């Protein structure tokens, strides 16, 4: 392109935002004032910026997000409860209480139906609450039911307990062997509600301007509750890692920071929140009516259409992709059995209780017929 260049940086360290008095800060302010001939940021394209600058064709389309330290394994004293969901535990307690109540009722009915002159008749043993508890804890029983009703009833609970114990032990083992790595922040709402990670904004960026001008909603809350401002997401990566803070910035910078950090440490120390904030085009910017804009466009169009730019971006951020994959594997939580996962077992238990009721009625009728006969 036959021109020489030299680099300068803005005194305030900002990219550039519009102040209430109509002036611009940072690199944009320097270019608007004629102190520089180009901004090779690249710079995010917004409507306000397009009114004072000429932008080239899009170099890269990017989005803003939340840059976080790598999640750490969670230590939880309630891990022994985690194999089953809350609703599953609740249903299990209800079924357990219902079964004990029905069992005691069955036992009372059968004993009452045989209280006659048969003094020498052996005691009818239909149900003991300890049987259900011993079944659930895989413990043997010293006594067994002596009635068909009791055998059907306890047989049902033997099968139910076997399914529950097998599923519970399997999931609990996976939870203990594979530590759970939580991803508590995946959106702005998570960042605000989580409350354990302070966050910062990059000063003078398009995102800073957007949040600053927000009058309500989550954007306004995020801006008001920020802990501090930083001048660069990339330059803050060591603070993010050591102080465990979050920074809101563009994904390209986040991925580049992950790539370079992995190249130097061999470790994946960062995490990008899953939900992006908003996307924007990145491009070079020049003063209005600059002759350089057209010259850059000729080369950028060729580079973009040939895929060279995208290939360069992927090459400079390849480690970030590998880290994202490894975090997904380590962050996959152990399975938790919900109600629908064990619904068949509960239906089996209910079916057994109903069958026990039928057998109970039959036994009562048979005993009464014997008394009449």
């Amino acid at each position: 392109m036959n021109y020489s260049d030299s680099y300068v940086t803005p005194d305030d360290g900002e990219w550039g935002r519009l102040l209430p008095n109509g002036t611009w800060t940072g690199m944009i302010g320097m270019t608007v004032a004629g102190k520089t001939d180009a901004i090779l940021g690249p710079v995010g394209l917004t409507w306000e910026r397009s009114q004072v600058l000429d932008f080239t064709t899009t170099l890269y389309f990017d989005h803003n997000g939340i840059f976080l330290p790598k999640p750490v394994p969670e230590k939880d004293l309630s891990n022994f409860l985690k194999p089953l969901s809350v609703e599953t535990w609740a249903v299990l307690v209800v079924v357990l209480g219902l079964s004990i109540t029905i069992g005691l009722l069955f036992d009372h009915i059968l004993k009452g139906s045989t209280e006659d002159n048969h003094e020498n008749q052996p005691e009818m043993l239909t149900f003991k609450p300890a049987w259900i508890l011993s079944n659930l804890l895989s413990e043997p029983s010293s006594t067994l039911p002596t009635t068909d009703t009791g055998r059907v009833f306890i047989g049902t609970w033997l099968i139910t307990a076997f399914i529950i114990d097998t599923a519970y032990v399997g999931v609990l083992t996976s939870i203990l062997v594979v530590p759970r790595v939580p991803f508590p922040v995946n959106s702005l709402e998570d960042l605000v509600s989580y409350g354990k990670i302070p966050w910062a904004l990059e000063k003078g960026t398009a995102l800073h301007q957007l949040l600053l001008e927000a009058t309500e909603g989550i954007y306004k809350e995020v801006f008001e509750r920020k802990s501090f401002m930083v001048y660069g997401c990339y330059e803050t990566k060591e603070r993010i890692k050591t102080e465990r803070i979050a920074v809101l910035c563009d994904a390209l910078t986040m991925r580049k920071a992950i790539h370079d950090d992995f190249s130097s440490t061999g470790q994946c120390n960062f995490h990008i929140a899953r939900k992006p904030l908003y996307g924007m085009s990145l491009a070079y910017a020049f003063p209005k009516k600059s002759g350089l804009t057209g010259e850059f466009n000729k080369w950028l169009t060729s580079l973009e259409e040939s895929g060279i730019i995208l290939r360069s971006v992927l090459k400079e951020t390849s480690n970030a992709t590998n880290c994202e994959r490894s975090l997904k594997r380590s962050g996959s939580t152990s399975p938790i059995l919900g109600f629908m996962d064990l619904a068949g077992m509960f239906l089996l238990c209910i079916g057994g209780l109903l069958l026990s009721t039928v057998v109970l009625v039959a036994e009562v009728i048979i005993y009464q017929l014997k008394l009449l006969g």
Side-chain angles (χ1 to χ4, degrees):
M1 295 177 63
N2 194 28
Y3 74 93
S4 60
D5 58 75
S6 61
Y7 295 94
V8 294
T9 57
D11 294 334
D12 58 14
E14 296 190 16
W15 292 79
R17 57 191 171 93
L18 181 61
L19 298 176
N21 62 8
T23 61
W24 288 83
T25 65
M27 294 187 291
I28 296 178
M30 294 178 66
T31 305
V32 171
K35 296 179 180 180
T36 59
D37 299 308
I39 303 176
L40 305 181
V43 185
L45 174 57
T46 66
W47 184 87
E48 290 84 2
R49 291 175 174 180
S50 69
Q51 302 307 297
V52 295
L53 297 171
D54 281 342
F55 284 83
T56 63
T57 184
T58 298
L59 176 70
Y60 187 74
F61 188 83
D62 202 8
H63 67 267
N64 288 278
I66 308 172
F67 199 28
L68 301 147
K70 176 185 176 181
V72 295
E74 191 178 68
K75 302 296 183 181
D76 193 345
L77 296 178
S78 62
N79 268 343
F80 70 96
L81 297 173
K82 295 296 178 64
L84 304 181
S85 67
V86 174
E87 63 177 7
T88 307
W89 280 114
V91 173
L92 181 59
V93 170
V94 171
V95 171
L96 185 64
L98 182 64
S99 298
I100 292 176
T101 302
I102 292 175
L104 292 173
L105 179 63
F106 284 177
D107 198 56
H108 177 74
I109 291 175
L110 278 178
K111 286 181 177 180
S113 66
T114 57
E115 285 181 357
D116 47 30
N117 296 326
H118 296 65
E119 296 180 357
N120 296 325
Q121 181 175 318
E123 181 184 2
M124 305 297 297
L125 189 58
T126 302
F127 174 79
K128 285 186 176 181
W131 286 342
I132 290 183
L133 297 178
S134 61
N135 288 342
L136 283 176
L137 298 176
S138 300
E139 292 291 331
S141 299
S142 57
T143 57
L144 293 174
T146 58
T147 65
D148 292 335
T149 302
R151 295 186 183 101
V152 173
F153 188 92
I154 297 304
T156 299
W157 261 104
L158 281 171
I159 298 174
T160 301
F162 173 76
I163 297 173
I164 293 176
D165 290 348
T166 303
Y168 176 85
V169 170
V171 175
L172 180 61
T173 302
S174 71
I175 290 175
L176 297 177
V177 172
V178 182
R180 181 172 181 263
V181 182
F183 290 86
V185 177
N186 277 304
S187 65
L188 286 180
E189 290 79 7
D190 293 341
L191 185 64
V192 171
S193 62
Y194 185 54
K196 296 181 181 180
I197 297 181
W199 63 87
L201 304 178
E202 278 189 302
K203 194 171 184 180
T205 61
L207 179 60
H208 179 195
Q209 186 99 46
L210 175 67
L211 299 181
L212 174 64
E213 296 175 351
T215 57
E216 60 182 2
I218 189 66
Y219 281 2
K220 184 175 186 294
E221 188 172 3
V222 168
F223 183 79
E224 291 179 344
R225 293 180 58 179
K226 68 183 181 303
S227 298
F228 49 91
M229 302 290 292
V230 297
Y231 286 101
C233 183
Y234 185 89
E235 290 75 15
T236 316
K237 64 180 185 295
E238 290 302 319
R239 288 189 65 187
I240 295 173
K241 182 168 52 176
T242 57
E243 299 178 21
R244 302 198 65 78
I245 61 174
V247 178
L248 278 59
C249 56
D250 63 281
L252 182 57
T253 302
M254 293 189 282
R255 292 174 61 82
K256 176 62 175 172
I258 294 174
H259 174 89
D260 290 349
D261 181 76
F262 183 86
S263 298
S264 60
T265 66
Q267 297 179 338
C268 298
N269 296 306
F270 302 98
H271 164 57
I272 300 175
R274 185 167 56 244
K275 186 176 180 180
L277 305 187
Y278 75 97
M280 63 180 178
S281 298
L282 300 179
Y284 298 137
F286 303 89
K288 281 292 186 180
K289 300 180 181 179
S290 171
L292 290 174
T293 308
E295 293 295 326
F296 266 70
N297 277 337
K298 287 190 297 185
W299 289 97
L300 286 177
T301 300
S302 175
L303 291 171
E304 196 277 331
E305 291 180 351
S306 65
I308 293 177
I309 293 176
L310 179 59
R311 185 181 67 180
S312 299
V313 170
L314 294 176
K315 180 181 179 181
E316 291 297 320
T317 60
S318 58
N319 289 334
T321 302
N322 296 330
C323 282
E324 288 172 357
R325 291 172 180 169
S326 67
L327 281 176
K328 285 180 181 179
R329 289 193 296 270
S330 65
S332 58
T333 59
S334 301
I336 295 177
L337 300 177
F339 172 72
M340 294 306 298
D341 297 317
L342 293 175
M345 180 271 295
F346 286 117
L347 289 175
L348 175 65
C349 184
I350 293 173
L353 295 178
L354 292 176
L355 180 59
S356 299
T357 304
V358 173
V359 175
L360 171 69
V361 173
E363 282 195 300
V364 170
I365 292 175
I366 290 173
Y367 288 138
Q368 294 301 322
L369 290 176
K370 286 181 177 180
L371 290 176
L372 294 175

